[in-house]
């Protein structure tokens, strides 16, 4: 794309030669001719001075620092994301319907559906227009995918699950597996059939090897515009609200309800049957055992990395916390007795 075409697509003014051709996005430090980058913080001006990028997306107030062409935008990082989409060269997941794909006669396929090798489409499955399904994916009976949704290879969608439009699901993810529901009969586990579904909204992205379990009775629900990273576990009857972001390795126990626009850091663990308010931020490696009722609050836990010597001292002291607590109680009582005696 020409610089002037990119600027028009962003509805932003530009300076410099708008006829220069841009082939790809790049890091500001390593960018070369024919590439576009961005600067969102003027403290990296030194990098900008040395950059060979043909064009830089930058805030209007920093325009004077640019030697060549620039597109003037209020949020350079967001503009960078938009341009990366425009110049994206990621190949299609599938094109056409591969002869090895197995499609049940009762399935309904929209226009321009693409199925890769060895895809299995079960009975009464419904696929919207422009759906792309990669090699070796399996869709169980009555599963539904909305228009424009893409599944990378080796995704499994169990029966009755519903996925909205323009979703993207990475390889190895399993949606609709059984929730972890059992009763105990004198030491013997008795399985409880999981008869709910997984219902996913529009524009949801799910990373590789993530598992989202179907509901026990009611549905597991992922609302629209949610992004979930790799290797996450979403247990039965969890509800994740609109616009929430979940980083890699996070585990949700059963029946957690997460509000809208939350940010959950990687490898966090959320206890079952709790509620998280809207716009809550949870730092990485948090263990959330109780509901968080205050919107827009931030929570952290875990122990930051220390040298081994420091950690050994900390761990040793933690083992004596209970003793120290009782000694402190005793001292407080003695101090109070002395004060009362006066």
């Amino acid at each position: 794309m020409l610089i002037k075409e990119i600027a028009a697509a962003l509805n932003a003014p530009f300076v410099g030669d708008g006829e220069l051709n841009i082939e790809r996005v790049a890091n500001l430090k390593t960018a070369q001719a024919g590439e576009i980058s961005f600067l969102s913080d003027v403290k990296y001006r030194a990098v900008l001075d040395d950059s060979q990028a043909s064009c830089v997306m930058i805030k209007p107030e920093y325009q004077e620092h640019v030697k060549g062409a620039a597109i003037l935008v209020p949020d350079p990082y967001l503009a960078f994301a938009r341009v990366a989409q425009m110049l994206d060269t990621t190949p299609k997941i599938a094109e056409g319907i591969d002869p090895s794909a197995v499609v049940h006669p009762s399935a309904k396929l929209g226009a321009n559906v693409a199925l890769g090798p060895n895809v299995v489409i079960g009975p009464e499955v419904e696929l919207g227009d422009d759906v792309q399904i990669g090699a070796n994916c399996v869709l169980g009976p009555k599963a539904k995918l909305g228009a424009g949704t893409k599944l990378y290879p080796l995704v499994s969608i169990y029966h009755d699950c519903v996925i909205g439009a323009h979703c993207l699901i990475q390889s190895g993810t399993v949606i609709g597996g059984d929730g972890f529901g059992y009763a105990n009969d004198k030491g013997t586990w008795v399985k409880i059939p999981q008869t709910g579904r997984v219902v996913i909204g529009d524009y949801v992205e799910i990373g590789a090897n993530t598992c989202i379990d179907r509901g026990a009775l009611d549905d597991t629900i992922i609302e629209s515009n949610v992004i979930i990273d790799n290797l996450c576990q979403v247990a039965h009857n969890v509800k994740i609200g609109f616009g929430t972001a979940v980083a890699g390795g996070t585990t949700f126990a059963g029946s957690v309800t997460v509000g809208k626009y939350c940010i959950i850091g990687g490898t966090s663990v959320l206890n079952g049957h709790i509620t998280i308010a809207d716009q809550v931020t949870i730092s990485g490696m948090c263990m959330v055992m109780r509901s968080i009722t205050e919107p827009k609050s931030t929570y952290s836990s875990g122990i930051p990395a220390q040298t081994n010597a420091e950690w050994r001292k900390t761990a040793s002291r933690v083992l004596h916390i209970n003793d120290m607590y009782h000694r402190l109680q005793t001292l407080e009582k003695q101090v109070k007795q002395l004060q009362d005696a006066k």
Side-chain angles (χ1 to χ4, degrees), residues 5 20 38 48 50 90 112 121 150 168 181 196 199 205 216 261 287 290 312:
E5 294 172 334
L20 288 175
F38 73 101
L48 176 63
D50 296 332
T90 303
N112 303 315
I121 304 297
K150 300 176 182 179
L168 180 64
V199 178
E205 297 203 8
Y261 302 111
M287 181 181 290
R290 299 180 182 86
R312 288 168 69 92

Side-chain angles (χ1 to χ4, degrees), residues 271-282:
N271 192 27
H273 300 273
I274 64 173
T275 299
I276 309 299
D278 293 344
Q279 300 183 57
V280 167
T281 297
I282 295 172

